Amino acid sequence: GRTLAEAHALLARFLVRAAADGTRTVLVITGHGARRDGGSALRRELPHWLNAPDLRPLVLALVPAAPQDGGAGAFYVLLKRRRAPTG
């Protein structure tokens, strides 16, 4: 029920908070979308958002979710390990 811009902002805040908390894997539910239009807009945009300069430093990988976690309508986002400051 949100615009793509709102969804992107919410996702970015969620991933930044999860990474700061040391979370390594999150589940992002995109939904299947309408079959005739190639799927949900969130599903199409998610890889682009995760590869953008603001989120790329946090993300290790994007993996399709297992059927019990949403299957084709969801993804696991694997987050990079936090690095301890040097010096």
Side-chain angles (χ1 to χ4, degrees):
R2 299 189 187 275
T3 67
L4 285 176
E6 291 170 331
H8 180 224
L10 286 170
L11 176 70
R13 284 195 302 269
F14 172 66
L15 293 179
V16 167
R17 186 172 48 244
D21 290 344
T23 301
R24 296 295 310 280
T25 305
V26 297
L27 179 66
V28 176
I29 299 171
T30 60
H32 292 280
R35 300 285 184 210
R36 67 181 177 277
D37 72 1
S40 78
L42 289 175
R43 183 174 173 75
R44 286 190 309 271
E45 292 299 319
L46 183 62
H48 302 291
W49 292 346
L50 297 179
N51 197 38
D54 60 332
L55 295 178
R56 187 179 324 127
L58 302 176
V59 177
L60 180 64
L62 178 66
V63 181
Q68 66 269 22
D69 289 332
F75 291 92
Y76 303 116
V77 178
L78 309 181
L79 300 175
K80 292 180 181 176
R81 189 180 317 246
R82 286 189 301 178
R83 299 286 181 200
T86 58

